[in-house]
Amino acid sequence: MGSQLGVARRAPLPHDILWLDPVDIAAGRLALLRPARDDGVVPLGVVLYTYLRLKLHLQAAGFECAFHDYDWRLGVDVLGQRLAARLHLEPAKRVMLVAHSMGGLVSRAALAMAGTGHVQRIVLLGTPNFGSFAPVQALRGTYAVVRKIARLNQEHSAEWLAENVFNCFPSLYHLLPAPGHSADLDLFDPGEWPQSGPRPRARLLAAARSLPRLLAAADERFFVIAGVNQETVTAVARRRDDFVYTITRNGDGTVPTEQALLPGARTYFTGVAHSELTRDSRVAQAVADLLRFGKTRRLPTRRARASAAAARISDRQLRHTQIPKVEWSALPSAARRIFLQSLNEPPTLRLRLPARRTLRSRGVRSAPHRSR
């Protein structure tokens, strides 16, 4: 969601930005993002608040930088073809890619195609190489972003938006946890999903299963910067007709650390949250080092042991969060800024360490440990 989407208009008229325009969302125009042939919706530049700082840092380090915005509703396979086509335009140049989140999968899809051998280095920031549980919640209408966006829409609920808008995005299905990374669940099988509430579309689930075969494997050009020590959904389980999520500190807040790792890539770790990876100065310095030297000392290559503290929350519980509607036009500017900057912040939960076994010696009993 790091690129603006909307309808391009000829000058002197400004472009009609749908994502992310709170006024359009409040007016119910988010439904225009449902993908359709010739729907007129195109990428209109990256979200500068997220990416400009990293670009300026790399320019100051001596790199010639260009953004690559894309229509993140579409599948990673389609977007990979479009990035490869752009790379084909400059076959004689030394090209390097710095990709954040889903952009890393788009880059890997592009590099699996012929004519991209001139790409010399690829740095993946918080890329869900083996998926994330955020798309699961988005498809269920319980993801923090979906629920907060729904607060702006006076007519529709988060569940309606999930069922009628977000569930239509092929990209969300390509970001689901890969088989073997969601415990005993195969999230590409529609029968594994709860029957109540918003559900994924079977056709898009089936199409997404083959994505791993379309992604380039890592080689010596690849570097991964993975986030740690942020409260992150790291597992999902089916409990009757509901999903229950386990939250631990084994991730960057959006992508579990284990699912960001890519065999064959050199990996570095940071405690910076997913949405801050492109705004953090130390990460930016590390990226510049990796592009120039192929290594950096600014980030560790070993991750610190994460706390065993955990919490669990269900879709049913999440549906009781972020309910009151927000009248955007009535919010003061400071409140508007805070609302937009906190879109990706999950509910605050108290993580608890597992209770120790009872100590029988000398009649001493251990008490449960708690941790924030």
Side-chain angles (χ1 to χ4, degrees):
M1 297 181 175
S3 296
Q4 298 181 112
L5 301 182
V7 179
R9 295 189 293 202
R10 292 183 180 179
L13 294 175
H15 295 319
D16 181 10
I17 294 175
L18 299 173
W19 183 271
L20 178 66
D21 185 342
V23 175
D24 275 343
I25 293 172
R29 299 189 72 217
L30 202 62
L32 296 177
L33 291 182
R34 284 182 290 209
R37 183 174 297 180
D38 300 325
D39 59 14
V41 176
V42 296
L44 295 172
V46 303
V47 177
L48 292 178
Y49 172 76
T50 302
Y51 296 109
L52 182 58
R53 185 176 299 180
L54 177 58
K55 180 181 180 181
L56 293 175
H57 189 101
L58 293 177
Q59 286 178 330
F63 295 96
E64 179 185 352
C65 303
F67 285 132
H68 180 73
D69 57 340
Y70 58 85
D71 186 345
W72 44 262
R73 304 172 302 162
L74 307 181
V76 169
D77 50 348
V78 174
L79 297 171
Q81 294 171 2
R82 295 181 181 180
L83 175 57
R86 181 173 182 180
L87 294 172
H88 292 164
L89 297 177
E90 303 184 57
K93 285 192 173 183
R94 298 175 58 197
V95 177
M96 294 178 277
L97 297 176
V98 180
H100 178 232
S101 197
M102 174 183 166
L105 299 182
V106 174
S107 298
R108 290 179 59 200
L111 294 177
M113 300 176 186
T116 58
H118 60 299
V119 177
Q120 295 189 329
R121 286 184 176 137
I122 306 97
V123 181
L124 307 180
L125 303 173
T127 292
N129 288 300
F130 292 93
S132 167
F133 295 96
V136 179
Q137 294 181 323
L139 292 170
R140 294 285 290 155
T142 56
Y143 186 43
V145 174
V146 177
R147 299 200 67 77
K148 291 177 183 178
I149 288 297
R151 295 181 65 192
L152 296 173
N153 188 304
Q154 303 302 311
E155 182 178 354
H156 298 129
S157 66
E159 289 73 24
W160 188 94
L161 289 176
E163 191 77 55
N164 294 278
V165 181
F166 291 96
N167 280 13
C168 303
F169 298 165
S171 58
L172 278 181
Y173 298 81
H174 284 161
L175 296 171
L176 290 173
H181 290 266
S182 49
D184 297 327
L185 291 176
D186 178 1
L187 292 170
F188 294 92
D189 178 357
E192 299 274 28
W193 291 69
Q195 296 300 307
S196 63
R199 286 174 45 78
R201 297 172 185 252
R203 177 182 60 83
L204 292 176
L205 278 179
R209 188 184 286 275
S210 61
L211 178 67
R213 299 197 298 268
L214 305 178
L215 303 179
D219 53 33
E220 68 280 355
R221 300 175 296 168
F222 280 76
F223 302 91
V224 167
I225 296 181
V228 296
N229 207 33
Q230 300 289 330
E231 294 182 8
T232 310
V233 177
T234 53
V236 63
R238 176 83 176 266
R239 186 173 65 190
R240 295 185 290 276
D241 196 36
D242 206 10
F243 274 161
V244 177
Y245 306 95
T246 299
I247 295 91
T248 69
R249 292 195 179 90
N250 292 300
D252 65 10
T254 300
V255 179
T257 305
E258 292 295 332
Q259 289 164 226
L261 305 183
L262 183 62
R266 189 176 302 177
T267 304
Y268 296 85
F269 299 94
T270 177
V272 176
H274 184 82
S275 58
E276 295 293 325
L277 285 168
T278 56
R279 296 194 287 264
D280 184 80
S281 60
R282 179 173 291 185
V283 171
Q285 292 167 352
V287 170
D289 287 347
L290 294 174
L291 296 178
R292 181 175 287 114
F293 307 116
K295 59 184 178 180
T296 184
R297 293 183 177 179
R298 302 181 193 275
L299 298 176
T301 56
R302 292 185 180 181
R303 53 176 160 167
R305 184 176 179 179
S307 167
R312 289 174 178 81
I313 192 168
S314 67
D315 278 332
R316 187 170 289 109
Q317 291 170 307
L318 287 168
R319 289 199 177 97
H320 290 285
T321 65
Q322 299 293 336
I323 294 176
K325 296 295 185 179
V326 172
E327 186 67 44
W328 182 258
S329 61
L331 289 181
S333 58
R336 292 182 178 185
R337 184 175 63 254
I338 292 171
F339 185 90
L340 292 176
Q341 291 178 356
S342 64
L343 275 181
N344 200 39
E345 290 184 5
T348 301
L349 300 175
R350 180 179 292 275
L351 274 61
R352 300 174 185 269
L353 289 170
R356 293 182 179 179
R357 293 180 180 177
T358 302
L359 301 177
R360 299 297 182 183
S361 175
R362 298 181 183 179
V364 178
R365 293 174 62 88
S366 65
H369 287 247
R370 297 182 179 181
S371 174
R372 290 295 299 177

